[in-house]
Amino acid sequence: MTTNSSEHSDDKWIVPYEIDLNSIDTLVDDNNNSNKLDNKYKQLISWTLFYGAFTYGMTTYIIGPALNDMTIRLNTSIDSITIVLGCICIGYTLGAIINGIIFNYISRQLVLTCLLILMACAISSAPHVSNIWLLYLVGLLCGFGAGGFDTAQVVWLIEIWAEKSSSYLQGLQFFNAVGTFVSPLMTGPFLAKQSKKNVTNSQMVTDLSSHIMKLSNISLQSITTPTNTTKTIDVYSESHIEIPFGIVGGLLISSALILLILHFYRRYVPPIEQQEEFSCKCPDKWTVIYIVLGLLSLAPYVGMEVMNFQLISSFAKYSHLQLSGNDSALVQTIMAGAFALFRGINFVISFKFWSENLLFLNFIIIIVGYVVILLFEIYNYSKIVLLIGVIIVGSGFSTIYALVYAFLEKHLTISNTIGGLFVCTSGLMAALLPTLCGQFIEEHPLALIYMSLICTIIIGISFTTFKIVVYFRAKLQVL
């Protein structure tokens, strides 16, 4: 490791050290050969993290298809239950920040093991909570573990692979996407089955009479008007969502055990970094402009992705088709499948070809997908049209995060301060958008599509502006 602190003495926002790529394998104590990382050990770490990313992906998106069942179990409304999505993202932001500090003092592998166990306990207990406030707490704890795990796995891969890390980060995102695909597919068969039942008005009054009398003390005779008019109501069978939630909890435990075994097999020690000097110096105007445009390009996308994967099943349920819980989960599964498939293709292609200009193609694909879904709901088209729309949107989502982040790293050095700012802002957007959309989706399911289109336009304008600013700044430097 070599230090070039004088090169960056005028910019305290840039991490004041570089890793010598010719000796990247020697991460700690050059006199101790046992700490030199061979390729086999780095592959072992990578595949351990890939499996962890798979279980993490299952955890983050298992709640979406089960929202309706939890609404029934807790006797609440869909707008109240969707607040748990915001709690997860708030916990994620706190976890990323707090655990980022803890990693500096305690072994990363041991902390990750504890975080995975915390997530396992939280997600397994979610179907068993007795009130909605406990569910919010479970979401907060699950998000806290997810934030720490997500931050650590990215840093870990960058540390061991250096200039080769981009391809392995793509692999990490691919296995995460596979988890988001498997999760709703596994949950669907255990959701409550919806059926229709015809009842007369007098039957309905009798069924509700005890509840009404408790609230108002009005006699039954004064409110009962027997008629032969019938009405169709929804009837749900018993839900068994504790089974898939328990399976995901078990997989998280297995991931924690693998990390623990790896720790005792060969303890990983991160590189000794030069400490940053504290400075209150403000960044220059170009750095500020790049940070703002970067935030506007990345944070709305993170919020939009979380909102879509968590609420697309609710959109399907409250659309004109009124799909059952199982069919709604299938819609999310198909979107996640397209997402995972194209992330996998991108993972392979990235070894040979990579260009941030592909982002403009992604924007077009996503807008086309949303237009298809919009037409499906407005003109009461069939389920096939909805599935075509979610496949298009899922494929468009597949590479946006990686492309935006690669462009940011190319033109803006991501220091601890800047990285923390991006994590916080993205986490807040991921908490705000699903929670806000959840307040309207039952009565106005197209709120999901309208909000997503607005986010897509904001991201497109911000990224285009970012590229124009970079281009003209380069021209000015030449002159």
Side-chain angles (χ1 to χ4, degrees), residues 60-265:
T60 50
Y61 291 119
I62 193 173
I63 292 182
L67 285 176
N68 186 63
D69 284 34
M70 289 184 174
T71 301
I72 298 171
R73 285 191 173 201
L74 298 177
N75 191 28
T76 186
S77 60
I78 190 68
D79 56 334
S80 296
I81 206 77
T82 51
I83 294 177
V84 72
L85 304 179
C87 293
I88 292 174
C89 295
I90 291 173
Y92 176 93
T93 304
L94 294 174
I97 297 171
I98 296 174
N99 288 300
I101 298 173
I102 294 174
F103 291 144
N104 293 325
Y105 302 98
I106 304 176
S107 170
R108 183 187 296 151
Q109 285 171 269
L110 294 180
V111 175
L112 283 182
T113 300
C114 294
L115 291 176
L116 286 168
I117 293 174
L118 174 64
M119 291 168 63
C121 294
I123 204 69
S124 299
S125 63
H128 303 284
V129 296
S130 57
N131 62 71
I132 197 167
W133 291 103
L134 287 176
L135 184 63
Y136 294 160
L137 177 61
V138 165
L140 195 68
L141 293 175
C142 188
F144 183 85
F149 179 80
D150 197 21
T151 302
Q153 64 181 354
V154 171
V155 172
W156 204 347
L157 283 178
I158 291 175
E159 281 180 357
I160 64 175
W161 290 110
E163 78 280 4
K164 298 179 181 178
S165 62
S166 60
S167 296
Y168 286 91
L169 290 174
Q170 287 290 318
L172 198 70
Q173 292 186 353
F174 168 69
F175 281 97
N176 179 273
V178 172
T180 66
F181 167 72
V182 173
S183 184
L185 188 66
M186 181 181 66
T187 307
F190 299 98
L191 298 175
K193 302 297 186 293
Q194 181 181 6
S195 59
K196 302 292 184 180
K197 180 180 179 181
N198 294 326
V199 296
T200 63
N201 283 350
S202 58
Q203 285 177 320
M204 293 175 65
V205 170
T206 303
D207 290 340
L208 295 174
S209 61
S210 59
H211 178 65
I212 295 173
M213 290 174 66
K214 289 179 182 178
L215 295 178
S216 61
N217 293 322
I218 300 175
S219 64
L220 179 62
Q221 289 77 11
S222 65
I223 61 173
T224 304
T225 307
T227 67
N228 293 326
T229 305
T230 61
K231 184 177 181 179
T232 302
I233 62 173
D234 293 330
V235 179
Y236 293 92
S237 64
E238 186 178 357
S239 169
H240 298 284
I241 56 174
E242 62 275 1
I243 296 176
F245 276 68
I247 292 173
V248 172
L251 292 174
L252 286 167
I253 292 291
S254 68
S255 183
L257 290 175
I258 293 173
L259 268 174
L260 194 61
I261 293 171
L262 182 64
H263 174 75
F264 287 111
Y265 164 71

Side-chain angles (χ1 to χ4, degrees), residues 326-371:
N326 196 10
D327 288 340
S328 298
L330 180 62
V331 173
Q332 180 180 339
T333 300
I334 291 174
M335 175 182 275
F339 182 67
L341 175 62
F342 282 90
R343 267 202 172 174
I345 294 172
N346 183 68
F347 172 50
V348 176
I349 294 176
S350 65
F351 285 97
K352 298 293 184 182
F353 175 75
W354 184 262
S355 173
E356 64 267 7
N357 291 324
L358 290 172
L359 196 61
F360 295 106
L361 177 61
N362 284 77
F363 291 146
I364 296 172
I365 292 173
I366 290 173
I367 291 173
V368 169
Y370 283 135
V371 169

Side-chain angles (χ1 to χ4, degrees), residues 404-425:
V404 171
Y405 211 88
F407 185 77
L408 285 174
E409 289 184 321
K410 185 177 178 181
H411 300 285
L412 179 69
T413 301
I414 309 296
S415 67
N416 292 330
T417 306
I418 296 175
L421 182 61
F422 277 104
V423 168
C424 289
T425 309

